[in-house]
Amino acid sequence: RPRVLSGIQPTADSFHLGNYLGAVRQWVTMQETYDAFYCVVDLHAITVPHDPAELRRRSRVAAAQLLAAGLDPERCTVFVQSHVPEHAELAWVLNCLTGMGEAGRMTQFKDKSAKQGESAASVGLFTYPILQAADILLYQADRVPVGADQKQHLELTRDLGQRFNHRFGETFTLPQPHILKEVEKITDLQDPTAKMSKSSSSPQGILDVLEAPGTLRKKVMRAVTDTGTEVLADDENKPGVTNLLRIQSALTGTPIPDLEARYAGQGYGTFKKDVAEVVVEAFTPIRERTEKLLANEAELDRLLAIGAERAGAVARVTMATVRDRIGFLPRA
Ligand code: AQP
């Protein structure tokens, strides 16, 4: 079976609708046909200032949410990145193959470091995409299901894999991104041209999977639309309405033209109410299952230990080859 790898950061108290539609929902589907590895990327989470107790708690919440969303430990491997030390080891090797200029072109670093001031940003934030390349190459992944914001990092991953293969011999599979056009960029409800984001959206702009139904409804009802009344998809002139249409379409499986026809002549009120209900319906079972999973920490940790064991077995094989190819002396 072809291999798939993807990860998500435990940098917030909940995943949001963008993470769910852009990534996690695809992960659930792909566990059926791929040899799938999904990780909570805690090494990535420390590239920005963090609180240790909070990171530990959020890592469990993240893992529980993945299982609650439908990842089945019998059908895929769910693990925590720091449980497999080979991620950091391969990242070091790839760091040494990456040019400063090449790393400096990554737009996510530019965006994220602009917030704190570039000189205050950590070197870890700068080399974040190289660690991500290591995550993917380590598992010889064929496909990487992500949102559109990760396209550039996937290109870097392929470049680094190819460079290693050319210099040291065929070692890595070059991965393809798996991006669903319709949900590749879910936008902020208050700023519908910006992506919905854990770190940069305002609380009003973001729909969290673990949020109370009442809050979700309020946020959808207050979502920025425009001064018109027509429910039509039009990225240029109606980015807010278009985002809501995409959300409703993705969560119900109804094509956007059918939704446009359904709300013709009705204004935004009914439409928004329906979108809110669809979101609440999608999130409620995930929230309830997450709460149950978190109530039994020992069981959750046991499942993650099994995941780490399986992931580690694959990672160790790749890393042994890398060490040999790069010229490290074997330990006697
Ligand atoms: N708005 C989005 N639309 C579609 N996909 C999205 N993803 C994130 N936001 C959207 C996808 O979710 C996966 C996990 O994301 P991440 O945890 O690695 O962090 P991120 O991409 O940086 O997402 P955030 O929410 O904006 O987090 P912060 O603010 O912490 O950086 C990825 O596949 C991503 O593409």
Side-chain angles (χ1 to χ4, degrees), residues 6-12 15-24 27 41 44 48 108 112 115 128 132 145-151 183-188 194-201 206:
S6 200
I8 190 155
Q9 298 193 74
T11 41
F15 300 151
H16 56 71
L17 184 63
N19 300 139
Y20 179 66
L21 288 179
V24 176
W27 300 9
V41 291
H44 283 93
V48 291
Q108 190 185 75
K112 289 200 175 178
K115 269 175 243 151
Y128 180 115
Q132 190 178 333
V146 284
D149 59 327
Q150 297 300 323
K151 252 185 220 162
V183 286
E184 64 172 20
K185 184 184 171 189
I186 299 300
T187 61
D188 184 313
K195 99 168 177 159
M196 189 180 281
S197 154
K198 292 192 216 88
S199 59
S200 60
S201 290
I206 199 170

Side-chain angles (χ1 to χ4, degrees), residues 146-165:
V146 284
D149 59 327
Q150 297 300 323
K151 252 185 220 162
Q152 195 187 31
H153 291 171
L154 257 293
E155 276 161 30
L156 178 72
T157 302
R158 289 176 58 87
D159 288 348
L160 292 177
Q162 202 161 28
R163 192 169 306 155
F164 189 101
N165 288 350

